[in-house]
Amino acid sequence: MITAKALVLAVTILSAALAIGLGTIGPGLGQGIAISRAVEGIARQPEAADNIRMTMLIGIAIIESLTIYAFVIALVLIFANPLLGRV
Amino acid sequence: MEELGPVVVAELYGWRITTTVVMSTLLTGFLTFVSFLSTRHLQDIPGRLQNTLETVVELLEGLVEDNMGEKGKDYFPFIGTLFLYILLSNWMGAIPGLRSPTSDINVTVALAVIVLLASHVYGLSKKGLAHFKHYLEPMPIFLPLNLMEEVTKPLSLAFRLFGNVTGEHIVVAVLGLIVPLLVPVPMSLFGLFTGLIQALVFTMLAMVYITQATEEE
């Protein structure tokens, strides 16, 4: 017999894992594209390397925040589950 | 695994003193103390401490000027303080026994709200009531979107910083649980790097928001 609480817990864990797993796909692809373009740019114009590297790092950090949102959702689900109090 | 989030260590007249408050006070005290020590006797030929601080200030000044131009000098004290506080509090977590104040979401939300308020105050003091005109641009129909941006800007700033710092700590803690010896060290070093980048991103975005609020058409 599965209790309601056990069901909520199971779904919570699964959704936390899914949030991280799915949430990393898009930003991963995006960062890959950004880095490849930056490397192309540096190879073409090595004298602009510092500038490009800086812009790339900032851009990557901003893309990364998308994953971080998913991560925060997962953290909330695991450590501060708002749904457990309802059952 | 150490507890996630702030821990209440004392209660003072109904105020709960958490580890975040202690660490944050420690950091502020440290920054104030070092600044006081190094500027007490300013010399033409700087000593070791004064030289270090001068290098840091010059680097930050260069960063602000690169992004905001000559008029960025007015905002340098604010931006510089923000950067130093975030950078050192990110790095604090690497020292055993200390915790990063920025791994508490209350701190990062507070910092983001400070940035939001500062951009409005600077905009108002620069342009007067015309500052609020940017809500109606490019067309009045964009008003709801522009108002929504006021919420999403600080939210994304706060979550980005909090998530990065906390995520780094969790990764190091989990690695330490599995292999306590040497293996977490490279991850910890990587944490120093991301701490720097995140401090840079936070101040960079703060500069962008302030520039947006103060620029003249």
Side-chain angles (χ1 to χ4, degrees), chain A residues 42-65:
Chain A
I42 291 177
R44 201 172 301 142
Q45 266 183 308
E47 66 272 11
D50 283 344
N51 229 332
I52 294 175
R53 193 180 302 121
M54 195 68 211
T55 316
M56 182 196 75
L57 280 178
I58 301 291
I60 280 181
I62 289 170
I63 298 171
E64 180 133 321
S65 61

Side-chain angles (χ1 to χ4, degrees), chain B residues 156-208:
Chain B
S156 69
L157 267 183
F159 276 179
R160 179 179 307 123
L161 189 58
F162 164 76
N164 267 295
V165 177
T166 311
E168 204 58 59
H169 287 181
I170 289 179
V171 169
V172 172
V174 169
L175 271 183
L177 269 187
I178 302 167
V179 197
L181 202 68
L182 287 180
V183 177
V185 174
M187 212 56 217
S188 215
L189 281 177
F190 184 66
L192 294 185
F193 176 67
T194 43
L196 172 68
I197 296 289
Q198 286 311 316
L200 210 57
V201 166
F202 194 98
T203 41
M204 210 68 115
L205 286 174
M207 281 189 274
V208 169

Side-chain angles (χ1 to χ4, degrees), chain B residues 2-7 19 23 89 92-93 95 97-101 103:
Chain B
E2 61 180 314
E3 215 170 324
L4 198 74
V7 184
T19 44
M23 290 301 143
S89 63
M92 229 173 146
I95 304 170
L98 299 183
R99 305 166 72 109
S100 290
S103 66

Side-chain angles (χ1 to χ4, degrees), chain B residues 9-39:
Chain B
V9 288
E11 200 149 323
L12 207 67
Y13 305 113
W15 292 71
R16 285 179 303 158
I17 310 292
T18 60
T19 44
T20 309
V21 179
V22 178
M23 290 301 143
S24 183
T25 315
L26 251 174
L27 180 59
T28 320
F30 172 76
L31 276 174
T32 318
F33 183 65
V34 170
S35 314
F36 174 73
L37 263 192
S38 57
T39 50

